[in-house]
Amino acid sequence: MISIKSEQIYELEKHYRISLINSLIGYKSLNLLGTSSNDGITNLCLISSAFHLGANPPLLGIVMRPQREHNDTLNNIRLTGQFTLNNVLPAWYMQAHQTSASYPAGVSEFDACGFKKQYVQGFKAPFVAQSTIRIGLDVRELIDMDINGTTIVIGEIVQILTDDAMIAEDGTIDHTKAETMTVAGLDAYFLPQPVGRLAYAKPGIEPRQLTKEC
Amino acid sequence: MISIKSEQIYELEKHYRISLINSLIGYKSLNLLGTSSNDGITNLCLISSAFHLGANPPLLGIVMRPQREHNDTLNNIRLTGQFTLNNVLPAWYMQAHQTSASYPAGVSEFDACGFKKQYVQGFKAPFVAQSTIRIGLDVRELIDMDINGTTIVIGEIVQILTDDAMIAEDGTIDHTKAETMTVAGLDAYFLPQPVGRLAYAKPGIEPRQLTKEC
């Protein structure tokens, strides 16, 4: 067993530290984040920081890195107040990873990486046609973090585009059927296998598996 | 293809909506969150909202539900300024799920659900001995969210307890070896299978697999 303490973390080689810290919390939600400028120039990037904030109102958060001149995604989010999250499938996860390359301003990762845009009337941000779970969000809050220059974007879910078959009877998304992938750290991609769904936990009652399939 | 819009989301049956909204973003980081009161009464609960905020300083965030009288975890975090995150393994994931039951005040989920506490000198919050990846954090910021009453807790990673064998050469945690699980929605548990690690993406260069194993 090893124990790495604060001082040692700061002394680690930069890339080693980034890989370690990024991968500590385990598997992360993996989505393609779609935006558009007011002129209709689209942007697409991979994001693994999405977290559930609450179901009523239906809210989630994402973390955007410190603003730089070419950070078109955060600019678009600030200007249009809308973005989309779209799940990543094994058939094209390499193309999804490729959206993280630094393309020059004016080049859309939709075109450069082979993704098809899908639009919904009255909603500015583009969805990814190849995805099986697509979420459209209105920005509700932007929290600029003094501690490290990132911005936490809080969005309200206002659009859900999917297939009926992807939603289980109780409302839970069937991510096995949807072929949703997950990521650990910066670049390790995984496809989860179901272990079990468990019954609502109550004190004094043994935990119980509802189904083997998820 | 179905399209569910904002108005329809609000009209969904409550439990259906909670399950749907909780599961939309895909697989989530799954950890046991350990805390202690100033008197040494411990608390353990499952959390699936952990997100990476940055590597320098090494920061992550978690979402805590609206404060209630018996929300010992958030009380402990406020009072002691420390907490731990510990990964969940298939051998005892049902016990981990059981920590979400509403035990009476004064009952520690460590004892009620069969977990062994592990302490590090100078650090108040208990780690889970059965976990293979254990993180200790100092609270850096508490963000009370007016929008839904939740609190976003920002912590700095000050302790990492694991086995040397769990860290790959480049610093990335080997979550396959660590047997880390993930969760979708409220109660669907999964064990991910590696698909591939990909090379750093550059414009004009085809995406490339580094290794099949993750």
Side-chain angles (χ1 to χ4, degrees), chain B residues 39-57:
Chain B
D39 301 333
I41 299 169
T42 60
N43 220 273
L44 192 65
C45 66
L46 261 188
I47 190 142
S48 63
S49 58
F51 61 92
H52 175 76
L53 188 67
N56 188 27

Side-chain angles (χ1 to χ4, degrees), chain A residues 2 4 10 23 27 29 97-98 156 158 160 162 173 175 187 189-191 193 195-197 199 202 214, chain B residues 2 4 6 10 23 27 29 97-98 156 158 160 162 173 175 187 189-191 193 195-197 199 202 214:
Chain A
I2 56 165
I4 308 174
Y10 280 99
S23 61
Y27 299 102
S29 297
H97 183 75
Q98 185 64 18
E156 177 173 342
V158 295
I160 301 170
T162 185
I173 295 285
H175 283 291
D187 54 24
Y189 293 88
F190 294 79
L191 195 62
Q193 299 297 318
V195 175
R197 289 197 66 173
K202 288 178 186 165
C214 285
Chain B
I2 56 165
I4 308 174
S6 201
Y10 281 99
S23 61
Y27 300 102
S29 297
H97 182 76
Q98 185 64 17
E156 177 173 343
V158 295
I160 302 169
T162 186
I173 296 285
H175 283 290
D187 55 22
Y189 293 88
F190 294 80
L191 194 63
Q193 299 298 317
V195 175
R197 288 197 66 174
K202 289 177 184 163
C214 283

Side-chain angles (χ1 to χ4, degrees), chain B residues 73-140:
Chain B
T73 296
L74 186 52
N75 279 338
N76 290 345
I77 286 177
R78 285 188 198 275
L79 290 170
T80 66
Q82 294 186 324
F83 62 102
T84 71
L85 293 176
N86 311 267
N87 68 341
V88 174
L89 276 66
W92 43 265
Y93 84 104
M94 287 195 191
Q95 286 165 253
H97 182 76
Q98 185 64 17
T99 63
S100 59
S102 285
Y103 288 99
V107 174
S108 170
E109 294 83 4
F110 273 99
D111 307 326
C113 306
F115 289 104
K116 201 176 156 209
K117 290 169 244 183
Q118 181 180 358
Y119 286 99
V120 164
Q121 210 183 1
F123 196 77
K124 244 182 189 151
F127 295 87
V128 174
Q130 287 97 324
S131 293
T132 53
I133 313 287
R134 284 150 288 186
I135 320 170
L137 301 107
D138 280 349
V139 175
R140 286 283 169 262

Side-chain angles (χ1 to χ4, degrees), chain A residues 2-4 15 24 28 38 50 66 77 80 84 91-93 98 129 144 149 160-161 180 198 213:
Chain A
I2 56 165
S3 154
I4 308 174
H15 293 98
L24 273 178
K28 301 180 290 184
N38 278 323
I77 285 176
T80 65
T84 71
W92 43 264
Y93 84 104
Q98 185 64 18
D144 292 316
I160 301 170
L161 308 182
T180 304
L198 300 185
E213 294 306 308

